[in-house]
Amino acid sequence: MSAPNERIRTFCIIAHVDHGKSTLADRILQVTGAVEERKLREQTLDTMDIERERGITIKAVAVRLHYRAENGGDYVLNLIDTPGHVDFSYEVSRSLAACEGALLLVDAAQGVEAQTLANAYKAIDQDLEIIPVINKIDLPSADVESARRQIHDLVGLNAQEAILASAKEGIGTQTILEAIIRRIPPPKGDREAPLRALIFDAVYDSYRGVIVYVRIVDGRVTKGMKVLMMFNGLRYEVDEVGVFSPEITATDILEAGEVGYVICNIKTLRSTKVGDTITDALKPAAEPLPGYEEVQPVVFCGMYPAVANDYEELRNALEKLQLNDASFQYQADKSDALGLGFRLGFLGLLHMEIIQERLEREFDLTLVTTVPNVAYQIRLKSGERLTIENASKMPPSNLIEEVAEPYIEAEIICPTEYMSGVIELCKKKRGVHVRVDYIDSKRCLAIYQMPLAEIVLDFYDRLKSCTRGYGSLEYRLIGYRPGELVKLDILLNGEAVDALSSIVHRDRAEWVGRTLASKLRTLIPRQQYEIAIQAAIGNRILVRETIKALRKNVTAKCYGGDITRKRKLLEKQKEGKKRMKQIGAVEVPQEAFMALLRVNDGAER
């Protein structure tokens, strides 16, 4: 039998990356006895190998806990552990929609960071009850009073109510659980109303089909019930319902206020949409739940199978992965250099790395990835408007009236002594200064507007370098602005390699072309004939590098005698090389496509 609504609390843990969310989740699992001591390990809820290796949470995870409060009541707690990195903020917003409250973790040593603010504002927008927790109070560098001031001044919460904790040492965990019972409101759903369940995630199981993760808002769902997907009108019969404790555990019923999963023999991946509402097919709800706004990718790249025969496998892998991560998009693409593949859209560079690594690990694929870029808006002289995500699709320059690129507003928090380095970095990235606010005597917040293309490659790494690891970044898109942008082509023996084309600012085109050409000269293996590497804008060649031909000494056996015999052999070799150059294809290794990633490293020096 399900717990009554007033005995249910649904909450998530939000914070900046590496502020202790997964460690606190471990302590909560331990105190509530959800996981046996012998099975407890660091990052218990992070089930993917890649999460454990990198020490970050990528997927939000739900778990049901039982807790006996100090008032003697038995409560059911639904905990959702969320990611902290800016690229996975979509996961956070989906999790918040399924909760009534949130624990906002702040590192006692580092204070409020950029992503702390972003996640707090998301929770405030959803009208959630926020409980501030100052974590890592056991660290020698912990400054609790400074953290309190920042919570009050920057986030606008009552810092005196902040709970002091150390997730690593287990300090304050009991206090946090009591605060959840006392301060987070119970769910408001009506169990007698028609079923309305919000799909907040889904995974694909090769034996059981699609498993949808749901938050029951109204009504109840049981095994054998006929349900209707309100987005696409498809009907199914429920095969199993259950909860996460933390493994999936079948139950008889899920009622309003509960979080769990539903299996209804959904065989095709396209039949499920995250944000959809499940309702009773016989007594449907009048209107669906609000769901989620469509996520807009900001970084694009091409992914191609290293072996052409793996194209179908890559398509199937992308379908399955998109069900579990609705925030990336893909469409079929074709490249002259790389054959058939897909064009993918991501929320950031880390998101792209994670998706590529998951495809290679979970589906055993070998991929060739092109240089990441952003979407550009082009206005032609004819008045027509285009949006392109691939430099090779850019029309000839004589037809273009204006090229606009996406701009972001970046919030950078760092110690005051590194501010000059941050300002210098933003200037080099074509940043426009908005303002600098001083949080306290030691830390400040800089706000800059800059092109998204400048930050997708190496900005975050360079920010960490110039702030000795103390800088944090949060950004949001603010629209498109026109700029002096041109298409830079790379030609190998006069043939443009579409996968190496890029859109760059005119002032930097020659530098990028020179750097890339010299890198390619070291990466492309020597052939039996000479290879010319050129960087060009339209018909104008900016740079040329040459890879010398491998030369066999055809005159080695000729010693002494008539010189004309040597000349004849050399002439024959020259003709052979000329013929080879006409029919030979230059093999471009994967490292060449990744070379563009590293071109920016010294672009502004």
Side-chain angles (χ1 to χ4, degrees), residues 11 13 21-35 40 63 65-67 77 79 103 105 167 170 172-174 176-177 180:
F11 68 99
I13 306 175
K21 293 178 297 300
S22 296
T23 312
L24 178 61
D26 289 347
R27 293 293 80 74
I28 291 174
L29 290 177
Q30 191 175 13
V31 169
T32 56
V35 179
L40 208 69
V63 60
L65 312 164
H66 294 276
Y67 175 66
L77 307 179
L79 155 65
L103 298 178
L105 256 64
T173 312
Q174 200 80 39
I176 291 168
L177 288 166
I180 289 165

Side-chain angles (χ1 to χ4, degrees), residues 252-498:
D252 298 328
I253 188 169
L254 281 179
E255 296 191 288
E258 296 190 304
V259 174
Y261 68 89
V262 177
I263 300 173
C264 23
N265 295 319
I266 303 173
K267 298 201 168 46
T268 60
L269 301 158
R270 293 186 187 86
S271 308
T272 315
K273 178 179 164 62
V274 170
D276 194 2
T277 302
I278 299 177
T279 190
D280 189 334
L282 304 177
K283 195 173 66 168
E287 55 184 40
L289 295 160
Y292 310 109
E293 58 185 81
E294 284 290 319
V295 65
Q296 294 300 316
V298 294
V299 177
F300 300 86
C301 83
M303 278 192 191
Y304 301 85
V307 180
N309 294 345
D310 287 349
Y311 176 75
E312 282 302 322
E313 281 184 44
L314 177 57
R315 188 211 299 277
N316 294 336
L318 287 168
E319 271 191 12
K320 289 174 184 172
L321 208 55
Q322 194 181 41
L323 179 73
N324 190 231
D325 182 356
S327 56
F328 83 89
Q329 296 175 3
Y330 69 93
Q331 62 188 60
D333 194 25
K334 185 175 183 294
S335 160
D336 296 336
L338 301 168
L340 291 172
F342 293 91
R343 188 103 196 130
L344 282 79
F346 307 95
L347 301 184
L349 209 61
L350 178 66
H351 190 205
M352 182 191 113
E353 272 182 51
I354 297 295
I355 293 292
Q356 183 184 352
E357 206 163 324
R358 285 186 70 184
L359 285 168
E360 290 178 343
R361 284 184 182 204
E362 294 173 26
F363 301 97
D364 202 22
L365 292 165
T366 307
L367 302 171
V368 176
T369 310
T370 64
V371 183
N373 59 359
V374 299
Y376 295 89
Q377 290 183 350
I378 295 172
R379 179 157 57 88
L380 301 177
K381 288 178 179 172
S382 64
E384 188 186 348
R385 291 180 180 274
L386 306 171
T387 299
I388 62 159
E389 297 149 6
N390 191 342
S392 61
K393 302 280 192 296
M394 192 167 178
S397 55
N398 59 325
L399 302 178
I400 296 173
E401 180 71 37
E402 180 184 271
V403 182
E405 60 183 331
Y407 263 68
I408 54 114
E409 185 165 272
E411 293 183 355
I412 301 163
I413 295 178
C414 71
T416 313
E417 68 255 39
Y418 303 124
M419 197 66 231
S420 58
V422 170
I423 291 170
E424 193 62 32
L425 173 63
C426 292
K427 260 194 212 166
K428 288 171 182 171
K429 295 290 187 181
R430 297 192 280 139
V432 178
H433 178 82
V434 178
R435 68 174 193 274
V436 173
D437 294 335
Y438 286 85
I439 297 166
D440 53 32
S441 59
K442 293 181 181 173
R443 298 168 83 231
C444 48
L445 164 69
I447 297 178
Y448 270 83
Q449 292 178 353
M450 62 181 87
L452 177 64
E454 295 287 353
I455 76 155
V456 296
L457 290 181
D458 64 341
F459 183 83
Y460 190 67
D461 292 343
R462 297 188 64 180
L463 173 68
K464 285 291 182 190
S465 298
C466 76
T467 61
R468 302 290 186 273
Y470 289 108
S472 68
L473 167 75
E474 158 68 13
Y475 62 84
R476 61 185 180 85
L477 285 170
I478 55 171
Y480 282 76
R481 295 182 187 176
E484 282 283 299
L485 300 160
V486 292
K487 177 187 172 189
L488 182 72
D489 282 316
I490 299 297
L491 314 177
L492 297 179
N493 283 345
E495 292 287 321
V497 181
D498 57 350

Side-chain angles (χ1 to χ4, degrees), residues 177-210:
L177 288 166
E178 288 299 322
I180 289 165
I181 301 295
R182 198 172 60 254
R183 292 167 59 180
I184 292 177
K188 295 187 177 74
D190 180 1
R191 293 188 173 183
E192 302 310 316
L195 169 67
R196 288 201 303 170
L198 175 71
I199 300 176
F200 68 88
D201 208 348
V203 293
Y204 185 79
D205 184 287
S206 49
Y207 298 106
R208 315 189 70 182
V210 178

Side-chain angles (χ1 to χ4, degrees), residues 98-135:
C99 296
E100 274 82 35
L103 298 178
L104 180 70
L105 256 64
V106 175
D107 189 316
Q110 295 181 350
V112 171
E113 301 268 25
Q115 201 60 29
T116 318
L117 280 176
N119 288 334
Y121 293 152
K122 282 192 182 84
I124 292 164
D125 289 345
Q126 299 265 14
D127 203 22
L128 300 190
E129 177 65 39
I130 303 171
I131 301 174
V133 177
I134 299 174
N135 191 27

